[in-house]
Every structure is written in C-alpha cells, then in structure tokens.
Amino acid sequence: MLSDFDFSVLTDSLPFLWAGLQFTIQLTLVAMTGGIIFGTLLALARLSSMKPLAMAAAAYVNTMRSIPLVMVILWFFLLLPLLTGKPMGAESSAMMTFMAFEAAYYSEIMRAGIQSVPRGQVHAGQAMGFTYSQSMRFVVLPQAFRNMLPILLTQTIVLFQDTSLVYAIGSKDLLKASEIAGKNYNRPIEMYIFVALIYFIICFSLSQLVKRLQQRIAIIR
Amino acid sequence: MNYHWNWGIFFDQVQNGDETYLAWLISALGWTVAVSITAWIMALVLGAIIGTLRTVPHRGISFFANAWVELFRNIPLLVQMFLWFFVVPELLPKDLALWVKQDMPAKEFVTAAICLGLFTSSRIAEQTRAGIQSLPRGQTNAGLAMGFTRAQVYRYVLLPMAFRIIVPPLTSELMNIFKNSSVAFAIGVLELTFVSRQMQEDTSQGIEVYAAVTLLYFICAFAANRGMALVEKRVQVPGYIAGAH
Amino acid sequence: MIEIKNVSKWYGQFQVLTECTTQVAKGEVIVVCGPSGSGKSTLIKCVNALEPFQQGDVVVDGISLSDPKTDLPKLRSRVGMVFQNFELFPHMSITENLTIAQVKVLGRSSDEARDVGLKLLDRVGLTAQAAKFPGQLSGGQQQRVAIARALSMNPICMLFDEPTSALDPEMVNEVLDVMVQLAKEGMTMMCVTHEMGFARKVASRVIFMDHGRIVEDDSKEAFFGSPRSERAQLFLSKILQH
C-alpha cells in the first residue's frame, strides 16, 4: 500500500535519472532533426512527377507506418551491424532507427503541408522566374513548414514518448535508468511512478505550449 | 554481409520442447490478436463515453473527461504497461492485490489488454469529440425542438452521425492497436514481438524470424483495414457527402 | 397561445434582445422580419427555449418557460419548428425522420407513427421519396419533409426560422405553398421570413425587429400601408425593390 512507499530513494537516484533523461532528449532531438529533413525529402519525392521515385518514397513511408516501432528497432539493431560489418551499440542504433522511422511520419505531415499551399503560390513563384527547386525552397516549403508547425511539434511529443521503446534493445534512456535505479535501491514501484510523472509533466507542458501556438497561428490567419 | 540463412528454421523443434517454432509463431499471433481485439472493444466503448462527456456543457464532467484524455496521452505506452503490471496491484486492497499477483488467470494478457484499451480510449475519445463537434449546431436544435431530451439527442441524432464521420480515423486507430500491442512484450505477454525476440536469442536466425513476424503484422494491419472498409460501406449514408450540408 | 413578455438576452456583454414583448393568439400567423443580425432568429428560438434568456418570460399555452419546473422536452414536443438549413437527420431515411420522435418522444407505436408520417408526406407531395435519405432530395423537398416532420408531432403551433432563405429561388414557392395551406387551415404560426408576398397573403400581423428590439408590431395592412418607423420603411423599400 501507499503508506509503505519510500520516496526518499528518488532524490538519491536523481543524477542517474538525469543522465537517462539527457539521452532521451538527445535521441528525440536527433531523430526530430534528421526525421524532418529526411521526411521533407521523402515528401518531395512522393509529390515528384517522376513515377518510380514517387513510388519508392510511398513504399518506404507505407512500410514504415505499418510495422510496429518495436519491430523496426529490432530490425535495425540486427541489420546495421550485419550491413556495416562493425558492431554497433544500442545507442547509435537507436538514433539511426528513430531518424529513419520518424522520417516516414514527418513526411506525411510535410506532404499535407506542401499540398496546403495554394497552387497559385507556385505559379506566382514561377512567374517571377524561380526554378522548381527555388520556388519550393523560397515559397512553398517555408509556408508548408509554418502551417504544419503545431502538427510537427505534436509528432515530436509522440516521438519523445516513443523513445522509451529503446528498452527493447536495452539502451539507457530515462525509462531504463529508472528501472536500473529501482533495482539498485530495491524500490521499483516508486521509480515507475516517478518516471511516469516526469514523462507526464514534460509531455503535458509541451502539448499545452503547442495548443497555445496553434491558437496564435489561428488568430494570425 | 556475412549471414547464415536458414529458412527451414520454422520447422525445427524449439529448445526444451516438442513443438515447432511455427507453432510458437501461430500461438503468438493468437495472443497479438486477442490483446488487440479485447483492447479495441474496451477502447471503443470507453472512448465513445469519454468523448461524448467532453462535449457536455458541464464543468466538472468535462474536466474529468479532459483529465482522462491528458493522462493516457502524455505517458508513454510502455511506461503505462509497467504501471499497470507492477504499480497498480500495490494500490489495491491487500486481499485483492494478493489474488491479482498470484491467482489471476492470464495475468499478463489481462493487464496488457486493460492498459492498451485505456490508452486507445483516450485517442478514440478525441476522435468522438471532434466528430460530434463537426456536426452543425442545428442538428442538436432540431432534435431538441422535436422534444428529445439531451440524452436522446446524443443517442439518436449526434452519435450515429459522429461515428459514421469518424470511421476513417477509427480505421487507423484499429491498425495502431495491432502495432501498439507489440509493447505488451515488455510485461511478458507471449505475443509476436516477445516470441520473435525469444526465437532470435534461441536460434540467431533473426532475419528469417523478424521477416515472418513483420509479415504477420502486415497481415493484421491489412485485415483491420479491410474489415473497417466493410464497416464503412455498411454504414454509408446515401446522398451524404462529408462536410456538405 | 404564445406570450413573449419583456424578454432580454445577452451573449456575455453583448445584448441581442432588448425587452421584447408580443403575443400570438390561437390561429394567428405572425411574420417576423428585419435586417440580418436584428435578433429575429434568436427571438423565435426563445419561444421553445432553444435559446435561454436572462430576463422576462415566455409563456406557451399557459406554461412559463422561465419556471425551472417546466418540462422543456415535453413543451418542445408540442411546438413544431422548421429550420433554415432543414436539419433533417442525414443518417435516417425520410420515413425514419418522420417517425423517430413520434415513437421515442410521444410513445406511439411504430405502425401508428408510420401511418401519421406517410399521410403527412402525402400532404407535402413527397410520397415517392419515403425510402430515400435526405441527401438524395433537393433543398425544397428536404424543407417540405422538415415541415411534415414537425407536423407529425401534432403541434399546437409552428415556428419557422427563415425556412426559404437557404433555398435556390426556384424551390422557394413549393415550400411557401405548403406554409400558405397550413395557415389557411388555421395553424398558429410564427415565421421569421423575408418573403413579403407570403406575409401579404396570410399574415395576421407583421413584427419588424432591429438591433434586438421589436420596432413595429402591426396588422399587415398598417405595416405595408404606412410603416411608422423610418427603419422599417427603409427595410421595406430595400427588399421590395426587386
């Protein structure tokens, strides 16, 4: 029962958890940056008039989106060392996996964003003498990115939560750190509650921020 | 790539047992489906209720419904699994806790289904709310003007239409629930992901095993998609185009 | 039949109705007109309490709406209402639209409800559409079904909230014809509409509203003959020009 709980272990394990949280944040930021860049390229490929390129991009995105993330993590952890011929740690493997996996989700958002920009904008760009890639870079993508910013950020909050699944290959993120701390101090219950609280506070505050941002964007429009 | 292929692995006997790995996989598929479908039914019922409550003009009720959604949405599913498996039994009265820990049948399965069901209910609640709010206000007024009570307006006018509108997002939720059921491996449900890790450890034939399991997940997602397409067709309203009025 | 006494209503700080008072006797047909945003739709929705009001009272058939003990669903079931956007239920067939409230609210058997519904459908000339869904009908047809749906509850009076303003011009008359017929049969009606031809033909009185106030409340002869207020004159000249 709750009265038997001992929450003093929490303070002792804080430095350890902080290291785990740092990795979780690092993984999130790397996957977000890589995912958005790679995802935007995928979106452009999907909307390209070159059929094979569009089809390849669509196949990649749809495949990634229909496999459970845990399986993708396991696949990469198995395949990366085989393909590179070098052993690869769980942490680096996780970074690669999340970049590749999240790119599929970000690409769908960017695709919707690009399609939300009226065609007249492209024509206006072309009328001013921009090439295709210039009108994408200077006219379409900035607007697409701005329109989709709240959704991109919401996806990043999902990504932040999803990083906990690196548990499957044992890399030391916030969750794994709390599990280890729980074992070391023989207080797993308190640690699970604590780590849930940390995740909740971070995700809830971020999602409230995104909500505000969304309202501000709605007003500007 | 230096890899020893062996596609016959599925017909080998498992270590310390007389089944084949194929039998393992089939039973694992069974658990994946069982967890997903049980959770899905729970999520639909709870999600519809919570989503409806979110649209009710009453402070206390909408606060409760919002809290529900925020709680399940802002904690990683894996952490929720651990909470249900390790923490919740500690919070129960002593006798019940003892029974849950020692005697509850299929403990891992029940826990995983409850966890996944509640997690998904918050997402379905969001869809339901959006569906209800997408209906024109005049529909509520028309119902009320005919003498329906609020509850009857929801029952006969708003919910039947809202659910038709949200069939497409529900389709992706059903596909998600199959994917998310993979997280149940962490509390020891013998579903596809758990078994694939186990087989990889036993046999080191990871590629073959993962390929088979991935294929099975594909089939689940495809079946979910087709099943919902059937539902969509059956509930389609003649002459109604979404958003047109 | 309907008494509106000193009704005032605010949306937050903004006052939408200011001390509106009028009454509708049994068998009267009242046309409410006025520029958009004048509060006429809000006023008519106060009559069956779809819009709450903060001051004053509305009494329908002797029942006060401001009395917290009043059973609003029961009262509404006795007051028929027709909306600007028809508001048929898109997921139900025409027959179901006509019968659902009879069964669920009045407790009629489904056979009885069906009889009543189909008779009314015949009356608005749409028997052939009974099995169809609202989305398969034209706007004018939908609005006629909506009138039949309201009548199926045997209302003591009918409220019309701009019943023709969402219709294509060629469909306006089929709806007005049904309304005229209804008026001639002695139905008590309160209609928010800009159809002045309809008003001339059947109205007992015309109410003109502006900025949430009832500016004129007069017999149709007096209203069309010589409206007293400038605003009503201006309004009339604008809509009668074409």
Side-chain angles (χ1 to χ4, degrees):
Chain A
M1 289 300 292
L2 208 56
S3 51
D4 306 328
F5 285 177
D6 175 6
F7 285 98
S8 65
V9 295
L10 302 182
T11 42
D12 300 338
S13 56
L14 272 181
F16 195 65
L17 289 184
W18 173 232
L21 181 59
Q22 274 177 318
F23 175 71
T24 294
I25 293 173
Q26 191 195 357
L27 178 55
T28 306
L29 292 180
V30 168
M32 177 183 77
T33 317
I36 291 181
I37 293 171
F38 187 31
T40 305
L41 294 176
L42 274 172
L44 288 173
R46 261 194 106 164
L47 295 169
S48 129
S49 49
M50 285 194 290
K51 268 271 151 66
L53 184 64
M55 276 166 63
Y60 178 86
V61 170
N62 290 335
T63 309
M64 278 299 180
R65 279 160 45 93
S66 41
I67 310 176
L69 175 53
V70 190
M71 283 311 297
V72 179
I73 294 173
L74 293 177
W75 265 118
F76 273 67
F77 193 53
L78 175 76
L79 284 181
L80 285 175
L82 283 174
L83 292 173
T84 57
K86 283 179 289 193
M88 187 178 281
E91 279 75 15
S92 336
S93 177
M95 300 235 177
M96 306 281 280
T97 311
F98 273 90
M99 262 196 268
F101 183 78
E102 293 299 325
Y105 286 81
Y106 283 123
S107 96
E108 285 294 89
I109 299 171
M110 285 310 291
R111 185 164 68 112
I114 292 169
Q115 285 172 330
S116 77
V117 179
R119 280 203 64 73
Q121 289 286 310
V122 183
H123 292 157
Q126 285 167 339
M128 287 163 69
F130 284 153
T131 63
Y132 171 78
S133 66
Q134 279 176 322
S135 54
M136 271 295 162
R137 254 183 66 201
F138 301 129
V139 181
V140 177
L141 285 181
Q143 293 187 57
F145 194 77
R146 205 191 54 197
N147 291 352
M148 290 295 129
L149 192 58
I151 306 179
L152 288 170
L153 290 175
T154 304
Q155 178 61 32
T156 304
I157 299 174
V158 173
L159 158 65
F160 177 76
Q161 295 186 27
D162 281 349
T163 57
S164 62
L165 292 174
V166 296
Y167 180 88
I169 53 173
S171 86
K172 258 186 234 147
D173 70 326
L174 175 60
L175 176 60
K176 190 77 193 170
S178 73
E179 198 188 53
I180 295 172
K183 274 194 186 118
N184 287 350
Y185 293 100
N186 201 21
R187 285 283 165 194
I189 307 297
E190 287 86 340
M191 289 312 298
Y192 282 130
I193 296 177
F194 188 51
V195 78
L197 208 62
I198 296 176
Y199 274 113
F200 180 81
I201 290 170
I202 294 176
C203 294
F204 182 71
S205 343
L206 287 177
S207 67
Q208 292 309 103
L209 281 178
V210 173
K211 221 180 245 171
R212 283 233 190 118
L213 179 75
Q214 216 157 10
Q215 280 160 357
R216 268 186 51 189
I217 290 179
I219 292 168
I220 292 166
R221 271 203 208 125
Chain B
M1 198 162 103
N2 195 2
Y3 186 79
H4 172 75
W5 296 92
N6 175 15
W7 286 98
I9 184 71
F10 301 108
F11 302 103
D12 287 3
Q13 301 237 310
V14 302
Q15 293 172 2
N16 324 317
D18 51 5
E19 301 167 297
T20 59
Y21 282 113
L22 183 66
W24 263 23
L25 269 188
I26 291 170
S27 124
L29 176 65
W31 283 113
T32 290
V33 173
V35 169
S36 306
I37 297 296
T38 315
W40 176 244
I41 293 166
M42 250 174 75
L44 268 187
V45 174
L46 284 171
I49 296 171
I50 300 289
T52 305
L53 292 183
R54 289 192 80 183
T55 65
V56 171
H58 182 284
R59 279 205 162 183
I61 291 175
S62 64
F63 177 82
F64 164 78
N66 285 337
W68 179 287
V69 170
E70 296 297 345
L71 183 67
F72 291 109
R73 193 163 60 176
N74 285 309
I75 299 175
L77 179 57
L78 179 57
V79 176
Q80 291 188 36
M81 282 282 173
F82 288 147
L83 287 181
W84 285 102
F85 196 70
F86 297 113
V87 179
V88 169
E90 302 295 325
L91 305 174
L92 298 170
K94 265 219 162 68
D95 296 341
L96 188 59
L98 204 66
W99 179 80
V100 167
K101 282 189 227 171
Q102 295 179 351
D103 300 327
M104 188 165 84
K107 181 186 171 198
E108 293 81 7
F109 163 75
V110 173
T111 311
I114 290 177
C115 174
L116 190 55
L118 291 173
F119 174 80
T120 310
S121 80
S122 74
R123 305 169 59 104
I124 292 184
E126 266 303 89
Q127 308 288 5
T128 308
R129 179 187 64 84
I132 292 173
Q133 288 179 344
S134 77
L135 298 172
R137 250 191 79 79
Q139 288 279 302
T140 307
N141 278 341
L144 289 175
M146 289 166 73
F148 283 151
T149 60
R150 285 253 164 216
Q152 282 177 317
V153 170
Y154 274 104
R155 162 82 179 74
Y156 298 117
V157 180
L158 299 179
L159 286 176
M161 226 26 232
F163 268 105
R164 284 172 166 87
I165 291 172
I166 64 168
V167 169
L170 284 184
T171 304
S172 28
E173 277 317 317
L174 181 58
M175 293 166 77
N176 278 341
I177 221 169
F178 277 99
K179 287 192 280 172
N180 285 334
S181 71
S182 62
V183 176
F185 85 89
I187 58 168
V189 179
L190 300 176
E191 47 70 69
L192 286 170
T193 302
F194 184 96
V195 166
S196 65
R197 289 173 90 217
Q198 188 67 47
M199 282 171 68
Q200 143 76 0
E201 251 170 53
D202 285 5
T203 67
S204 294
Q205 296 301 135
I207 295 183
E208 295 87 336
V209 171
Y210 290 176
V213 168
T214 302
L215 181 71
L216 290 174
Y217 275 118
F218 266 132
I219 293 172
C220 288
F222 184 74
N225 186 294
R226 290 298 87 199
M228 288 300 281
L230 277 182
V231 172
E232 191 171 356
K233 213 167 185 183
R234 276 202 57 177
V235 301
Q236 203 173 41
V237 177
Y240 184 83
I241 306 148
H245 196 74
Chain C
M1 175 78 58
I2 302 171
E3 272 180 278
I4 299 172
K5 300 187 215 166
N6 250 323
V7 168
S8 295
K9 176 181 171 66
W10 288 263
Y11 284 126
Q13 291 289 308
F14 182 68
Q15 186 157 16
V16 280
L17 291 179
T18 309
E19 292 164 9
C20 294
T21 302
T22 190
Q23 55 285 314
V24 186
K26 192 166 185 321
E28 267 191 316
V29 176
I30 307 296
V31 165
V32 185
C33 60
S36 65
S38 60
K40 49 197 191 309
S41 280
T42 311
L43 182 69
I44 202 174
K45 282 185 183 138
C46 286
V47 173
N48 62 352
L50 286 182
E51 292 281 0
F53 46 87
Q54 285 81 25
Q55 249 172 45
D57 196 6
V58 175
V59 180
V60 179
D61 198 26
I63 298 164
S64 156
L65 294 193
S66 60
D67 182 351
K69 283 192 296 250
T70 298
D71 181 352
L72 287 179
K74 190 169 174 208
L75 180 122
R76 290 184 187 126
S77 72
R78 302 173 62 208
V79 178
M81 184 158 197
V82 175
F83 297 83
Q84 183 176 356
N85 290 311
F86 333 134
E87 305 300 351
L88 295 178
F89 305 133
H91 58 292
M92 297 179 194
S93 71
I94 299 307
T95 311
E96 286 171 300
N97 263 286
L98 289 167
T99 54
I100 176 105
Q102 294 186 58
V103 174
K104 301 295 176 189
V105 178
L106 300 182
R108 289 179 183 158
S109 73
S110 48
D111 284 344
E112 190 189 355
R114 220 184 142 74
D115 278 354
V116 173
L118 290 179
K119 248 177 223 149
L120 287 164
L121 200 57
D122 182 43
R123 197 173 142 181
V124 297
L126 291 170
T127 309
Q129 320 294 338
K132 291 205 177 149
F133 284 77
Q136 297 169 305
L137 267 53
S138 73
Q141 291 175 322
Q142 288 192 52
Q143 194 62 300
R144 279 145 69 198
V145 172
I147 294 173
R149 179 175 72 174
L151 291 175
S152 74
M153 305 292 285
N154 298 96
I156 55 171
C157 61
M158 290 278 285
L159 308 173
F160 290 83
D161 183 10
E162 305 206 31
T164 56
S165 59
L167 293 175
D168 291 334
E170 76 270 19
M171 296 175 181
V172 169
N173 280 332
E174 60 185 87
V175 172
L176 288 179
D177 287 347
V178 174
M179 291 171 63
V180 167
Q181 199 195 354
L182 206 56
K184 287 188 172 153
E185 284 164 18
M187 175 61 79
T188 310
M189 291 161 68
M190 193 167 170
C191 314
V192 174
T193 182
H194 289 161
E195 297 295 338
M196 289 302 128
F198 171 78
R200 282 193 185 189
K201 213 181 275 178
V202 294
S204 326
R205 288 199 337 266
V206 178
I207 289 176
F208 177 76
M209 289 185 71
D210 195 20
H211 294 301
R213 288 176 191 274
I214 294 182
V215 182
E216 302 235 359
D217 184 348
D218 233 330
S219 69
K220 73 175 167 196
E221 292 79 11
F223 183 77
F224 288 115
S226 56
R228 273 166 288 186
S229 72
E230 241 171 78
R231 276 177 291 186
Q233 284 171 17
L234 191 68
F235 175 78
L236 271 180
S237 71
K238 271 185 189 159
I239 61 173
L240 292 179
Q241 254 167 21
H242 33 199

